[in-house]
Amino acid sequence: MKRITTVFVLFIFLASMASAASEKGIIDQIMDLIRGILSKVGLWSPPTTTTTSTLPLCNPPYIQDGDSCCLDANNNGVCDGVEEITTTTVTTTTSTSTSTTSTTSTTTSTTLKINCYSNIDCGESKEEYVCHNDNVYSKRTSFICMSPGTPSSKCVERQVQDNTPLIKCMHGCAEGKCVNQE
């Protein structure tokens, strides 16, 4: 109880000094001193703050890239769309004779680009209407990642056209539509 009374008296004294001070810097210093004393005796603790993030939550295999997520299929912390693999080969040759030793060292560095890790890296599928035998047919184009995640990876286009007409045209077909003849 004596400790609390002493702290309270000190608090009143310092608070009255703070109100008499005209400079903001002095007031801040006195208030910091009061907070420090109250904190040491367990009568005050600094307020806790919580922050909220507006950044999206990226679930594996995606990682944070600025304010969005990007694919990291090989889990190396680098966005796969901009990643390049660098391989380095070091060759050292040492020859020794009775009087001299010579060492030759050669370093070769090769950068290999990974074109795709999955089909989604190659583009979106699309559907269009085409004319065949004077009728309208549906033709779908999709893209496939061949040898994904390797230096020999590549995107291949695949087209599929229906065997049965989508629309049978009475007067023929042009630019994916039936011709209207009046």
Side-chain angles (χ1 to χ4, degrees):
M1 182 71 178
K2 184 176 181 184
R3 196 161 110 179
I4 293 173
T5 306
T6 305
V7 170
F8 184 70
V9 170
L10 180 61
F11 176 76
I12 292 173
F13 172 73
L14 293 174
S16 64
M17 285 181 54
S19 65
S22 60
E23 287 188 41
K24 185 176 183 334
I26 294 174
I27 293 172
D28 290 339
Q29 290 175 1
I30 293 171
M31 290 308 293
D32 286 344
L33 178 65
I34 292 170
R35 287 185 196 110
I37 293 169
L38 292 176
S39 177
K40 285 185 181 181
V41 295
L43 296 175
W44 183 82
S45 61
T48 58
T49 58
T50 57
T51 57
T52 57
S53 175
T54 57
L55 297 175
L57 175 63
C58 304
N59 295 316
Y62 295 89
I63 60 170
Q64 191 77 39
D65 181 30
D67 58 354
S68 64
C69 298
C70 67
L71 180 64
D72 181 22
N74 57 356
N75 199 26
N76 67 347
V78 178
C79 293
D80 293 340
V82 295
E83 177 177 29
E84 293 183 349
I85 294 179
T86 301
T87 57
T88 302
T89 305
V90 177
T91 306
T92 304
T93 307
T94 304
S95 58
T96 306
S97 67
T98 53
S99 61
T100 61
T101 301
S102 72
T103 302
T104 306
S105 180
T106 306
T107 302
T108 306
S109 182
T110 307
T111 300
L112 305 170
K113 185 168 179 13
I114 308 272
N115 291 311
C116 59
Y117 288 89
S118 68
N119 293 346
I120 200 165
D121 295 331
C122 296
E124 292 186 26
S125 298
K126 62 181 178 180
E127 181 178 22
E128 61 183 322
Y129 301 113
V130 296
C131 295
H132 181 66
N133 293 333
D134 286 332
N135 292 313
V136 178
Y137 288 80
S138 172
K139 180 171 88 173
R140 288 177 299 287
T141 304
S142 60
F143 301 94
I144 300 169
C145 179
M146 303 299 289
S147 303
T150 66
S152 61
S153 65
K154 64 181 179 179
C155 293
V156 177
E157 183 178 294
R158 181 178 76 175
Q159 293 185 348
V160 176
Q161 183 171 320
D162 289 343
N163 291 331
T164 44
L166 188 65
I167 302 171
K168 290 186 178 186
C169 300
M170 304 255 322
H171 304 289
C173 179
E175 298 179 11
K177 297 177 184 176
C178 288
V179 175
N180 291 332
Q181 195 168 24
E182 294 180 32

